[in-house]
Amino acid sequence: MAIGKGRLEAFSDGVIAIIITIMVLELKVPHGKDLESLRPLTPVFLSYVLSFAYVGVYWNNHHHTLQAVRSVNGSILWANLHLLFWMSLIPFITDWLGESHFSRWPVFCYGIILAMNGIAYRILALALIKHHGEDSLVAKAFGNDFKGKISIALYPVAIALTFVNATFSMVIYVIVAAMWLIPDKRFERLLVDGEEEE
Amino acid sequence: MAIGKGRLEAFSDGVIAIIITIMVLELKVPHGKDLESLRPLTPVFLSYVLSFAYVGVYWNNHHHTLQAVRSVNGSILWANLHLLFWMSLIPFITDWLGESHFSRWPVFCYGIILAMNGIAYRILALALIKHHGEDSLVAKAFGNDFKGKISIALYPVAIALTFVNATFSMVIYVIVAAMWLIPDKRFERLLVDGEEEE
Amino acid sequence: MAIGKGRLEAFSDGVIAIIITIMVLELKVPHGKDLESLRPLTPVFLSYVLSFAYVGVYWNNHHHTLQAVRSVNGSILWANLHLLFWMSLIPFITDWLGESHFSRWPVFCYGIILAMNGIAYRILALALIKHHGEDSLVAKAFGNDFKGKISIALYPVAIALTFVNATFSMVIYVIVAAMWLIPDKRFERLLVDGEEEE
Amino acid sequence: MAIGKGRLEAFSDGVIAIIITIMVLELKVPHGKDLESLRPLTPVFLSYVLSFAYVGVYWNNHHHTLQAVRSVNGSILWANLHLLFWMSLIPFITDWLGESHFSRWPVFCYGIILAMNGIAYRILALALIKHHGEDSLVAKAFGNDFKGKISIALYPVAIALTFVNATFSMVIYVIVAAMWLIPDKRFERLLVDGEEEE
């Protein structure tokens, strides 16, 4: 079953690189020539920044997780493609979010897509743990996946809050992203420990 | 003739990553702000899901096949580019499929493109087998290429059925994709066996 | 001066993969639902096929040339970026070629861009030969660069012929592409010889 | 802390390859068929050339810097994503620059984006130096980062000059790009020295 992880990483890097970059295509050049003409772009720009952070976080986590991976199998390849599918919808939903000036339903759908990404990442984690065993480095690293659990718990709250006030939901999305941007020493520490043990 | 397979994989990963991602650009953001405004996107979204699955299957198979490959030659490079050419037409035909709400001729052409991809993959397989020999790991793996043979047999049926009812054809396309999504232990087993033999 | 060639290859693969794939975005989905509505796409499709072949040839040659390369330096990095610049104009000129139904000036400009690509490739070759020495594998491989010389000689002829009849020019472009598509054993042989010598 | 630098390079290569290539999508095919119809594209083309050079310079520097890097950590990954964020805005601002025929505010914003890229690169450098130590190869290479310092000093001048005459600013942007295009033996020399020392 020793299929190398190299191409899984290369393909994921390619898809994520494209996802994070094509979002910027939604920043349509204004027809005017003064600063004023940039103002209508503000919501599109802000939603771009938020989604850039989310996709960056996913790439970062993917990078760290795969560091602890020794080999892959068919289920892992599909779990990874499943994750990439939900990530590929982020540019679409980001665009709607910005174009609609953060109205209720786009904010609602943004939360759904983020939640599906969180779930898809969890499924990938389970496939990796099943393949490497409960005592593996990967399993230990996900054992206390504090941030992952909080995120998956916060998304439904944010989604429900769109029926009260979509701004509250946006605040939660920003908080979740910020939480992930704070450096996470977990994997680095585990990798060092794991290498020392070997 | 010992040309490394590294760049063939890297280039194919790049092209396939772009193909699978640009399809999502066809999901145009709705002008409305409510859920209702997403409804017209349904056929485009469904055709995106189907083609994402097909491109994912091709990447997966490409990944598995290349695992068993030791080196490449000029014919293999061209056979691979030929496959990428037909894959590059998938976003176009997918878009037409969705935009036309799965009408006869787009469904017909979708089948043609899928069939050409199947044939191109077969040509790549033959080039790989010729280069590695009839006793090679690659040759054995393709020897009983059950799914590949069924797929190439089903495409003409689906194409012909467009003249009866295009829905039947779409059902066949979904069945073929689903057949490939079911985990395939063939290559993994062979690789393990092959490594044990060596 | 021993800078690895790995990232030069990876970056070039990325750019060339994008160039070859975004050309297909010019195949705009027809509004109609029947085969007839595909007909206006014919010239755009034909120019896509031709340019796909050219970009494929360049990737193939790039792949083969870099196989014989041991390391790179600053001049090589810039010569490579210069080549990628001219390649990046191929999607634009291809689109104009198709949209204009192969009229004189687009055919003229297509030839100019192809010629600039040929010259840029030659400059890259000179930078590689200068870095590796006149007795290197790379130098030998380019020593009798028959196809390269013929191509650079044919482009001016094709460009001049646009003032007589643009169809003649198109025929020459097709002939040059076809010439390159015929398998070239030169590099493969040289690599094998080179490895045997060492 | 020994996280490999491989995927950082691969992902950056992917994003930079896309950034440098999607800029060409702004060269919209003219409706006319004669050379005259290309003339309105001149400012868009010139701004494309300039930005291609800047992105090429960044890729080149990134390549050289990472050569001297042994491993990465979380801060470096984020500093790198932060750089990619500012780079991702280059296609947008380039387009505005060309569309507006180099008017004051687009020229002003172009300078801001270039300056933010320069600062982001500096932050990445600091993260790399902190991780590798003040005596490392990376630290030495950046110690006398003459070009980097001049660039960061010239951007504010160019930005301020937009209030006098935007042409002066454009001249400075061209000078800065040209300065970087002149081959820089610094890193190559250091790498050779560093390898000799070891």
Side-chain angles (χ1 to χ4, degrees), chain C residues 1 3-4 7-8 10-11 14-15 18-19 22 73-74 77-78 81 85 88-89 92 95-96 100 103 105-106 109, chain D residues 9 13 17-18 21 24 27 29-30 32-35 37 41 48 52 57 59-60 62-64 67 181 188 192:
Chain C
M1 300 253 185
I3 298 181
R7 279 192 76 181
L8 177 76
F11 185 69
V15 172
I18 298 161
I19 288 170
I22 61 175
N73 62 11
L77 294 183
W78 286 115
L81 270 170
F85 174 76
S88 80
L89 296 178
F92 165 75
D95 196 16
W96 198 27
S100 74
S103 342
W105 286 106
C109 292
Chain D
E9 291 185 327
D13 280 349
I18 299 160
T21 320
V24 89
L27 280 175
V29 163
K33 299 184 175 187
D34 49 5
L35 268 190
S37 59
L41 291 176
Y48 172 60
F52 190 96
V57 163
W59 176 74
N60 216 330
H62 198 273
H63 181 134
H64 276 70
Q67 284 276 336
L181 290 168
E188 291 179 26
V192 176

Side-chain angles (χ1 to χ4, degrees), chain D residues 10-179:
Chain D
F11 184 69
S12 305
D13 280 349
V15 172
I16 300 175
I18 299 160
I19 289 171
I20 212 169
T21 320
I22 60 175
M23 284 194 296
V24 89
L25 291 177
E26 296 308 331
L27 280 175
K28 306 286 188 212
V29 163
H31 292 297
K33 299 184 175 187
D34 49 5
L35 268 190
E36 203 57 29
S37 59
L38 285 182
R39 190 174 301 183
L41 291 176
T42 314
V44 179
F45 181 72
L46 291 179
S47 61
Y48 172 60
V49 174
L50 182 62
S51 290
F52 190 96
Y54 267 107
V55 177
V57 163
Y58 271 103
W59 176 74
N60 216 330
N61 289 352
H62 198 273
H63 181 134
H64 276 70
T65 301
L66 267 289
Q67 284 276 336
V69 163
R70 301 256 174 267
S71 66
V72 299
N73 62 11
S75 313
I76 293 169
L77 294 183
W78 285 115
N80 192 62
L81 270 169
H82 177 246
L83 170 64
L84 294 178
F85 174 76
W86 290 107
M87 288 188 73
S88 80
L89 295 178
I90 292 179
F92 166 75
I93 204 68
T94 300
D95 197 14
W96 198 27
L97 193 70
E99 292 284 342
S100 73
H101 291 221
F102 309 100
S103 342
R104 173 178 298 172
W105 286 107
V107 173
F108 178 90
C109 292
Y110 193 76
I112 298 283
I113 299 290
L114 289 184
M116 291 312 296
N117 273 285
I119 292 166
Y121 202 85
R122 194 77 214 162
I123 292 171
L124 175 61
L126 292 176
L128 286 167
I129 292 170
K130 195 180 165 196
H131 182 58
H132 288 78
E134 290 292 338
D135 296 327
S136 64
L137 213 54
V138 178
K140 276 180 215 156
F142 277 109
N144 49 357
D145 181 14
F146 186 62
K147 286 181 179 178
K149 282 172 193 157
I150 284 195
S151 304
I152 289 181
L154 281 177
Y155 292 140
V157 175
I159 292 166
L161 278 174
T162 54
F163 295 102
V164 183
N165 188 330
T167 309
F168 295 163
S169 313
M170 289 308 303
V171 170
I172 293 179
Y173 299 151
V174 172
I175 288 172
V176 171
M179 182 180 76

Side-chain angles (χ1 to χ4, degrees), chain A residues 9 13 17-18 21 24 27 29-30 32-35 37 41 48 52 57 59-60 62-64 67 181 188 192, chain D residues 1 3-4 7-8 10-11 14-15 18-19 22 73-74 77-78 81 85 88-89 92 95-96 100 103 105-106 109:
Chain A
E9 291 185 328
D13 280 349
I18 298 160
T21 320
V24 89
L27 280 176
V29 163
K33 298 185 175 185
D34 49 5
L35 270 189
S37 59
L41 291 176
Y48 171 59
F52 190 98
V57 162
W59 176 75
N60 216 330
H62 197 273
H63 180 134
H64 277 70
Q67 284 275 335
L181 290 169
E188 292 179 27
V192 175
Chain D
M1 298 258 187
I3 299 181
R7 278 191 78 183
L8 178 75
F11 184 69
V15 172
I18 299 160
I19 289 171
I22 60 175
N73 62 11
L77 294 183
W78 285 115
L81 270 169
F85 174 76
S88 80
L89 295 178
F92 166 75
D95 197 14
W96 198 27
S100 73
S103 342
W105 286 107
C109 292

Side-chain angles (χ1 to χ4, degrees), chain C residues 43-171:
Chain C
V44 179
F45 181 72
L46 291 178
S47 61
Y48 172 59
V49 173
L50 182 62
S51 290
F52 191 96
Y54 268 106
V55 177
V57 163
Y58 271 102
W59 177 73
N60 217 331
N61 289 354
H62 198 274
H63 180 133
H64 276 70
T65 301
L66 267 289
Q67 285 276 336
V69 163
R70 302 253 175 268
S71 65
V72 298
N73 62 11
S75 313
I76 294 169
L77 294 183
W78 286 115
N80 192 61
L81 270 170
H82 178 246
L83 171 64
L84 294 178
F85 174 76
W86 290 106
M87 288 188 73
S88 80
L89 296 178
I90 292 179
F92 165 75
I93 204 69
T94 301
D95 196 16
W96 198 27
L97 192 70
E99 293 284 341
S100 74
H101 291 221
F102 308 100
S103 342
R104 173 179 299 172
W105 286 106
V107 173
F108 177 90
C109 292
Y110 192 77
I112 298 283
I113 298 291
L114 289 183
M116 290 313 294
N117 273 285
I119 291 167
Y121 202 84
R122 194 77 215 159
I123 291 172
L124 175 61
L126 292 176
L128 286 167
I129 292 170
K130 196 181 164 197
H131 182 58
H132 287 78
E134 290 293 338
D135 296 327
S136 64
L137 213 55
V138 178
K140 277 181 215 157
F142 277 108
N144 50 357
D145 182 13
F146 187 63
K147 286 181 180 178
K149 282 171 193 157
I150 286 196
S151 304
I152 288 181
L154 280 177
Y155 292 140
V157 176
I159 292 166
L161 278 174
T162 54
F163 295 101
V164 183
N165 188 330
T167 309
F168 295 163
S169 313
M170 289 309 303
V171 170

